[in-house]
Amino acid sequence: MIEFSEGRYTYYIYILTNKRRTVLYTGVTGNLHKRLHQHKTKLNTNSFTARYNIEFLIYYEKFDWIHHAIEREKEIKNWSRIKKLDLIRATNPNLEFLNYLFQDLS
């Protein structure tokens, strides 16, 4: 039997945008710092985020369990743009870029 301990893992759902804030992208990851770097460096040059220069973090949520994060990602992806913007503006009213929160400080 496999046992999992609560609080031992951290997963994120996140919303990114481009410099002009015209496109929104929702994703899920276990390492937000690394994932933001992948978006910024356009790791997959054919991806949606690379094509639209989406690399700026404007919203995120933390979870202890990956299945909760995936459920939330799916929920948000089904929302309208207006509803997503309402969610973002509840904590980030000016849609400021938050990438600096996950920069490597070493």
Side-chain angles (χ1 to χ4, degrees):
M1 175 185 275
I2 300 173
E3 293 184 25
F4 298 98
S5 299
E6 257 187 280
R8 297 217 178 213
Y9 306 99
T10 303
Y11 300 94
Y12 298 88
I13 64 98
Y14 59 95
I15 301 177
L16 303 180
T17 191
N18 57 352
K19 192 171 188 175
R20 296 180 57 212
R21 296 171 178 86
T22 56
V23 182
L24 298 177
Y25 172 84
T26 305
V28 64
T29 185
N31 186 333
L32 191 51
H33 167 75
K34 181 178 178 181
R35 194 69 183 113
L36 290 172
H37 179 72
Q38 291 170 341
H39 285 297
K40 182 177 181 160
T41 59
K42 297 175 179 45
L43 182 65
N44 178 356
T45 57
N46 296 321
S47 71
F48 177 82
T49 57
R51 283 194 316 266
Y52 292 95
N53 296 310
I54 300 171
E55 63 180 87
F56 300 101
L57 179 68
I58 54 174
Y59 183 83
Y60 68 94
E61 294 177 12
K62 289 171 68 170
F63 296 86
D64 291 335
W65 295 99
I66 187 62
H67 64 278
H68 291 154
I70 292 170
E71 286 174 14
R72 182 66 167 158
E73 178 202 25
K74 288 179 181 178
E75 176 185 23
I76 292 172
K77 280 188 171 190
N78 286 322
W79 289 358
S80 68
R81 178 180 175 83
I82 292 170
K83 189 169 180 176
K84 290 175 190 177
L85 288 172
D86 287 344
L87 173 69
I88 297 162
R89 287 191 172 118
T91 57
N92 185 0
N94 298 320
L95 304 179
E96 295 177 24
F97 300 151
L98 305 173
N99 298 57
Y100 68 91
L101 295 174
F102 294 92
Q103 289 177 343
D104 187 9
L105 301 176
S106 57

